[in-house]
Amino acid sequence: MKFATLPYFKPFQFDAGTFKFDLIAGITVSLVAIPQSLAYAQLAGVPAYYGLYAALIPTIVGALFGSSRQLSTGPVAMTSLLTAASIAPLAEHGTEWFYSCVILLALLSGLLQILFGMLRVGVLLNFLSHPVLMGFINAAALIIGLSQLPTLLGIPATQSTHFLLDVWQVIAHIDTMHELSFGFGATAIAMLLALKKFAPKLPGVLITVVLLTWASYAMGFADMGGKVIGIIPQGLPTISIPPLDWKATMTLLPASFVIALISFMEAMSSAKVIAIRTRQPWDENKELIGQGLAKVAAAFCHSMPVSGSFSRSALNLASNAQTSLSSVVSAVSVLVTLLFLTPLLYHLPKPVLAAVIMMAVINLINFPVILKAWRASRDDGIASVTTFVATLAFAPNIQNGIIIGIILSLSLLLYRMMRPRIALLGIHQDGTLRDAQRHNLPKLHARVGAIRFDGALRFVNVSYFENAILKLERENPEVDHILVKCSGINEIDASGADMLANLITRFKSNDITLCFSGFKKQVQEVMDRTALSSQIGLDNIFSTDQEAFDRLYARGVLETKITPPTLSVI
């Protein structure tokens, strides 16, 4: 197995034109990143400054060691939710142990990503199919939005092992709502919607946060029972070794794997879009290492797990960022905020951050994509719907939903591999060889049966292929030649070769000749190496279907010569 080397720093192009674009893009992204970081820290269940710390050094590390120039690394909604859900069964919310577990989770998930990248197994992440991912994202987006209801309404939150029951409790006690908190939250939602519709180029999140923070200060929202961000420590984060605990490490490993998987899928989606738009290459294994190093950096900064942000990366791209310097500029803006502006954030209402989170995840909800998956393939639809339902049912332990989805999709894939498409063939009226059942065609010939196998002939499906051939023999007692159309067979293993050898021996004893047409080169080579070709007989191996029919006619098996204008399979 080849190991990837640690990625190197991506060079910056400090020409005037590039620097100008990167500077503008970095400042633009920071105007969104700062309020989002505060909001996602709230979603992860940690103090607000954890979010700012996560948008500082980890952002720079992700930019310098990743492969995508415009990918913006930092706090994101999905990873924040997974963090809170993973720690909830292990530690009480708001305790120092809870925060220690969050830091440990960042370290573990980062180390896993680095390991995956160095082992060059980034391509294996494709085992998480798109329908499963969409089912999970839709459910997680609903959970994220609903999880902010207590903060938005100013109702004390209850946390149990059943998230949907907790939501019902909030709805049942809506009469205890803090009206002013709801007023701030509803106003924030209205402002965000209005700014997005009528002034999409303006930093709507920043404008909303600034104005409502000022309103909170002016009317004394905190003194009237409202919850605000409070004191945010000024200065740089302390760099130190993350807290280590063996028991907690073993407990958090499954959750770390899920976060490593999901967060990279989110980053990979952004990187793919960027690569298509900019026509710049990117390396998934290098990006794995870069994202892993960013998480490790977050742990050493005593912060929360980070990932590639789809929304901020899209903004970075739209702002015409040219290099990773734009992310560094964004991080410097966060640094300025930590050094000089934290006192201004004291009166930021938490219901406003809840509204920011809700509006950020509403674009993730996309039910038509699940319907599209169902229309494309029933198996994909089942996997997507099952993942969606399981994620909601297991919340707050939403990692169980994605694990169930992965297992189900792989199981369905294995089932499809075990039962590939097999078609009995007949001559269509236009002279082409087609699926007899689909086109309602008569038998090819009383003495000749033709069958096509669409798939690799491996140990998982050899019995299925064998049963189909034997069924053809049983249902057609007059058949003495069976032609296997092999154009759909891309591979054959030892089990497939043994099965064919046994079939040939059995059919010879019953005076039935097994013929093959259209072998691909790699399949023919396996048959030659295993001496299967000689057992079949070179006279029974044909390069094309037309050659097969010509030879069978010459042998007297067919009374009339079949000469279709174009012999193809549909």
Side-chain angles (χ1 to χ4, degrees), residues 206-387:
L206 182 68
I207 294 173
T208 300
V209 167
V210 169
L211 291 179
L212 292 181
T213 300
W214 176 84
S216 171
Y217 165 75
M219 69 172 56
F221 176 66
D223 298 329
M224 300 171 69
K227 292 184 177 181
V228 296
I229 288 295
I231 298 175
I232 296 179
Q234 283 185 285
L236 297 174
T238 302
I239 307 297
S240 60
I241 298 176
L244 301 176
D245 182 276
W246 178 252
K247 184 178 180 181
T249 298
M250 292 297 100
T251 304
L252 289 174
L253 267 180
S256 301
F257 175 79
V258 173
I259 288 180
L261 179 66
I262 297 301
S263 66
F264 183 68
M265 290 296 294
E266 190 172 12
M268 185 169 67
S269 299
S270 300
K272 283 183 176 179
V273 171
I274 291 170
I276 292 172
R277 298 270 183 91
T278 63
R279 298 183 180 180
Q280 296 171 353
W282 74 288
D283 188 315
E284 56 192 7
N285 294 304
K286 186 176 179 181
E287 197 62 59
L288 259 173
I289 296 176
Q291 291 292 308
L293 289 173
K295 285 182 175 63
V296 172
F300 276 85
C301 294
H302 285 231
S303 186
M304 51 196 277
V306 296
S307 182
S309 168
F310 190 85
S311 60
R312 295 196 297 275
S313 298
L315 180 59
N316 208 20
L317 186 62
S319 301
N320 204 19
Q322 300 295 306
T323 72
S324 300
L325 180 60
S326 61
S327 293
V328 177
V329 172
S330 176
V332 171
S333 300
V334 175
L335 174 62
V336 172
T337 302
L338 280 168
L339 292 177
F340 305 109
L341 304 180
T342 54
L344 301 178
L345 298 172
Y346 180 92
H347 290 279
L348 173 56
K350 288 190 174 182
V352 173
L353 293 181
V356 170
I357 293 172
M358 286 181 166
M359 295 306 298
V361 301
I362 194 171
N363 292 327
L364 296 176
I365 299 176
N366 185 1
F367 292 122
V369 75
I370 297 179
L371 180 60
K372 183 178 179 181
W374 188 282
R375 289 173 175 171
S377 168
R378 189 176 65 175
D379 287 353
D380 285 339
I382 291 173
S384 188
V385 171
T386 301
T387 303

Side-chain angles (χ1 to χ4, degrees), residues 12 24-25 55 138-139 175 263 282 287 306 351 355 366 375 382-383 403 406 453 461 520 543 555 568:
F12 298 132
I24 294 174
N138 274 279
D175 56 318
S263 66
W282 74 288
E287 197 62 59
V306 296
N366 185 1
R375 289 173 175 171
I382 291 173
I403 291 173
I406 293 173
F453 184 81
N461 56 32
K520 293 186 176 180
S543 58
R555 295 179 191 177
S568 61

Side-chain angles (χ1 to χ4, degrees), residues 154-233:
I155 298 175
T158 58
Q159 288 188 334
S160 69
T161 56
H162 300 286
F163 173 78
L164 295 179
L165 182 61
D166 294 341
V167 173
W168 173 249
Q169 290 297 322
V170 171
I171 297 173
H173 294 85
I174 198 169
D175 56 318
T176 64
M177 175 181 64
H178 186 247
E179 289 82 358
L180 192 56
S181 294
F182 176 68
F184 268 93
T187 301
I189 291 175
M191 290 180 65
L192 290 169
L193 288 173
L195 287 167
K196 182 179 180 180
K197 182 176 181 179
F198 298 109
K201 293 185 178 181
L202 294 179
V205 175
L206 182 68
I207 294 173
T208 300
V209 167
V210 169
L211 291 179
L212 292 181
T213 300
W214 176 84
S216 171
Y217 165 75
M219 69 172 56
F221 176 66
D223 298 329
M224 300 171 69
K227 292 184 177 181
V228 296
I229 288 295
I231 298 175
I232 296 179

Side-chain angles (χ1 to χ4, degrees), residues 414-432:
L414 180 60
Y415 180 77
R416 289 195 298 269
M417 291 175 62
M418 293 174 62
R419 300 175 62 87
R421 185 167 179 259
I422 295 180
L424 296 178
L425 305 178
I427 296 295
H428 194 266
Q429 61 183 3
D430 63 2
T432 60

